[in-house]
Amino acid sequence: MRENDAVETPVLAVDHAAKIFPGNVVALADATLSIRPGEVHCLLGANGAGKSTLLKIIAGAHLPTKGSLVLDGVPQRFRNPLEAARAGISMIYQELDLVGSLSVAQNMLLGRVPSRWGLVDRKHRAQIAAEALEKVGAGFGLDVPVASLSIANQQLTAIARALTLDAKIIIMDEPSAALNETELERVFAVIRSLTARGIAILYVSHRMGEIRAIGDRVTALRGGRTVDTFPVAGTSDQTLVEAVLGRNQALLERSARAPCGDTVALSAPFLKGPHGLEIRDLSVREGEIIGLSGLNGSGRTSLLRVLFGDLPSTGDILLNGRPYKPKQPADAIARGVGLVPEDRKMHGLVLDQAIYRNAALPSLRRRRFISHDSLRRGSARVLGDLSTRFSAIDQPVRQLSGGNQQKVVFSKWVLNGSRVLLLDEPSRGLDVGAKAELYALIRRLAEQGAAILVASSELDEIYANCDRIWVFHEGRNVRCFDPTVASRDDILTAGLIGHRDASEIAP
Ligand SMILES: Nc1ncnc2c1ncn2[C@@H]1O[C@H](COP(=O)(O)OP(=O)(O)OP(=O)(O)O)[C@@H](O)[C@H]1O
Ligand SMILES: [Mg+2]
């Protein structure tokens, strides 16, 4: 028997659930879980462990191959998400499922438009949507198209949508992956008000700090099986990491790095771009890893897209000493510049194509005659370095877990032999072990001479792995830090205050 199950009747009990996909792909082998009313139940597991699969079974998006699901004492067999929603289970997907061209209000009530005399009741719809948006503290209107919102605000829309349902259980699959600390605090406040009303939350995250901040209990999954359920208080990080990885894993620590040379790979003395982007004196040398820190919307993504030719700019950029004016991504790729975008679903992958074809996309674009066997071998090697979990290199990317898709995006640019790598939140959705592997690979690429710019909202990561850290504020690069001497607090403060000159900050 798991910890204290007898204490209270669970709102949901999943017993020995399994999901096997055609071709005998075991996505979930044997998962058992019970959720109490009003608790935040976290789910922890490595990339590909089966978390999203388990959640989709609970939310009616997958029929389980084996096992049972009991909601409030009544056995259930949901055939689709609508049935689960009607029974009180609402899910916020890892890959958000909003329709970009529709408005916030339309998205929130998609599929269950309130009607009066059979017509769409716009007023009623607006009212329900507005109330839910207010609860999540959204600062945007009901009528804007979802595509125009940042990922963070799209996430808030999805949470608000879950609130418009009368849910007993709200499932959140890695909500924090797209949120900064302030936004996450807001989501946590929403979660606390929901649990106070007896609503249970099932919450997936790879970050231990979050599980500690919000979780009551945590269930660990490894290789598609439940390891155990633990109370969050009184269980050490060590115990949890061992439960999911089956081994000890050093958490992120700063490792010594060889100093890089003096050859400047890319420099932008002055640059202006959309959304108020204004860059001064930014440069990156061969072999150097530069971190970009700052709040969401501070200009990091805009800069990376400008450098990739994905957004227009004015000003000067030099690449390997020659003028560089990319008008489209193809210009950037031709000059050896690669981008791992923030939103892998929109820019990074062709989901229905084979893994190796995705990994080889930029190389295919450059060289028309290339053997597919060597592409298969090359991508398998890079993906192996990152311990990517897949069943065949010809499998469509859509079938991979979220974290493993991210590894495919990264491998594209490694295979392409990019000399300048622009990485926007590259570790988003990776488990602790995979994160460490990703940064080890980034460091290896730098040692081979690649120049790397990496934007991350997780300061710990860039603090441990970068040679220099530029802090962004309202579109400008305001201060540069040497992480071997600056403290984490200095860097965080600079991101919040945002002065360009250190002397402007009062002691
Ligand atoms: N539709 C599918 N067809 C085939 N295999 C699938 C399908 N969906 C998931 N899988 C496989 O099942 C395994 C579990 O995937 P799942 O998405 O549940 O992992 P996860 O724990 O959510 O990982 P992550 O932390 O990376 O999001 C993976 O190996 C994945 O490739
Ligand atoms: Mg997942």
Side-chain angles (χ1 to χ4, degrees):
M1 164 158 259
R2 291 176 197 286
E3 188 253 342
N4 284 343
D5 267 4
V7 175
E8 207 170 343
T9 329
V11 54
L12 177 81
V14 179
D15 205 34
H16 299 293
K19 178 74 191 176
I20 299 165
F21 285 105
N24 207 24
V25 178
V26 183
L28 193 66
D30 184 2
T32 293
L33 180 78
S34 91
I35 298 175
R36 297 172 186 158
E39 80 166 331
V40 178
H41 196 115
C42 299
L43 205 53
L44 187 67
N47 296 129
K51 303 179 295 298
S52 297
T53 305
L54 172 59
L55 301 182
K56 285 177 188 164
I57 289 175
I58 297 174
H62 283 330
L63 263 182
T65 314
K66 280 185 223 148
S68 68
L69 213 137
V70 177
L71 184 69
D72 275 334
V74 183
Q76 301 281 356
R77 199 169 162 77
F78 302 131
R79 280 167 305 177
N80 54 53
L82 207 59
E83 284 188 5
R86 289 207 180 104
I89 298 177
S90 171
M91 173 150 171
I92 297 159
Y93 288 88
Q94 182 171 17
E95 310 292 344
L96 293 177
D97 58 340
L98 302 169
V99 184
S101 56
L102 295 183
S103 74
V104 169
Q106 285 168 327
N107 264 286
M108 283 175 61
L109 296 154
L110 210 59
R112 46 200 173 88
V113 180
S115 75
R116 210 168 49 184
W117 319 122
L119 298 171
V120 174
D121 184 347
R122 285 179 199 282
K123 235 172 118 186
H124 186 205
R125 183 169 74 188
Q127 190 191 336
I128 296 175
E131 277 170 19
L133 280 181
E134 201 185 306
K135 281 193 193 135
V136 299
F140 48 89
L142 279 174
D143 298 317
V144 294
V146 158
S148 69
L149 297 176
S150 68
I151 299 188
N153 283 336
Q154 292 187 14
Q155 187 86 48
L156 288 180
T157 306
I159 296 173
R161 179 175 58 182
L163 295 184
T164 62
L165 289 158
D166 199 10
K168 290 178 194 142
I169 300 174
I170 296 181
I171 301 174
M172 301 186 179
D173 197 357
E174 291 191 51
S176 61
L179 304 178
N180 67 30
E181 285 175 31
T182 326
E183 291 158 338
L184 190 61
E185 267 314 313
R186 201 153 73 205
V187 171
F188 280 1
V190 174
I191 290 180
R192 288 189 189 105
S193 73
L194 292 171
T195 52
R197 283 163 36 204
I199 297 171
I201 308 285
L202 186 52
Y203 187 99
V204 176
S205 174
H206 292 294
R207 302 182 192 163
M208 219 59 85
E210 265 167 45
I211 293 175
R212 296 236 172 266
I214 197 76
D216 296 303
R217 295 192 299 161
V218 48
T219 292
L221 272 184
R222 183 164 80 229
R225 289 170 200 280
T226 313
V227 181
D228 207 347
T229 296
F230 307 86
V232 172
T235 307
S236 69
D237 284 3
Q238 190 85 12
T239 307
L240 292 176
V241 171
E242 263 183 59
V244 296
L245 294 181
R247 65 185 145 94
N248 234 323
Q249 172 72 48
L251 301 170
L252 289 174
E253 272 167 28
R254 194 172 168 85
S255 56
R257 293 196 3 90
C260 57
D262 292 328
T263 318
V264 174
L266 182 131
S267 68
F270 184 71
L271 193 65
K272 271 187 140 175
H275 318 304
L277 184 72
E278 192 188 308
I279 298 297
R280 281 173 211 274
D281 295 327
L282 188 122
S283 69
V284 53
R285 289 173 288 181
E286 288 177 4
E288 192 174 33
I289 306 175
I290 294 198
L292 310 180
S293 186
L295 303 177
N296 268 17
S298 60
R300 298 168 302 169
T301 295
S302 302
L303 170 66
L304 297 180
R305 289 180 59 192
V306 159
L307 295 178
F308 191 58
D310 194 30
L311 282 180
S313 65
T314 55
D316 297 319
I317 314 174
L318 288 175
L319 179 64
N320 304 320
R322 283 170 34 223
Y324 173 61
K325 273 217 162 292
K327 293 216 164 26
Q328 52 197 7
D331 302 341
I333 294 168
R335 296 274 307 261
V337 177
L339 171 77
V340 173
E342 159 177 57
D343 180 355
R344 63 179 171 265
K345 197 176 171 191
M346 278 173 64
H347 307 288
L349 294 170
V350 187
L351 290 177
D352 287 318
Q353 281 210 3
I355 296 172
Y356 86 90
R357 285 196 66 98
N358 268 283
L361 275 178
S363 352
L364 278 173
R365 208 171 285 163
R366 283 200 316 183
R367 290 176 289 169
R368 258 206 265 139
F369 303 102
I370 186 164
S371 114
H372 280 232
D373 271 345
S374 76
L375 286 177
R376 281 193 183 87
R377 275 197 307 276
S379 38
R381 177 175 42 77
V382 179
L383 291 170
D385 277 352
L386 291 168
S387 312
T388 312
R389 201 182 150 195
F390 56 92
S391 29
I393 201 83
D394 289 304
Q395 213 183 345
V397 162
R398 188 184 293 286
Q399 294 179 355
L400 297 190
S401 78
N404 287 316
Q405 290 185 7
Q406 179 68 1
K407 297 178 192 176
V408 175
V409 176
F410 189 80
S411 71
K412 288 204 302 194
W413 303 111
V414 177
L415 274 178
N416 189 42
S418 303
R419 302 298 293 163
V420 175
L421 275 175
L422 313 170
L423 311 175
D424 201 356
E425 304 283 356
S427 73
R428 173 174 293 168
L430 297 191
D431 66 60
V432 270
K435 251 181 212 174
E437 284 161 9
L438 175 83
Y439 277 100
L441 182 58
I442 291 176
R443 288 196 303 266
R444 272 209 306 284
L445 293 169
E447 273 158 31
Q448 293 159 15
I452 293 163
L453 290 178
V454 49
S456 172
S457 43
E458 285 190 73
L459 186 55
D460 286 340
E461 286 176 26
I462 48 182
Y463 193 65
N465 291 290
C466 294
D467 302 306
R468 286 190 288 152
I469 296 174
W470 266 109
V471 171
F472 277 63
H473 186 79
E474 294 177 356
R476 309 187 307 161
N477 55 327
V478 288
R479 281 187 68 182
C480 191
F481 290 93
D482 173 354
T484 57
V485 293
S487 75
R488 291 177 80 263
D489 280 352
D490 291 342
I491 301 174
L492 279 176
T493 314
L496 292 170
I497 303 176
H499 285 287
R500 192 152 244 174
D501 179 2
S503 61
E504 289 171 36
I505 298 175

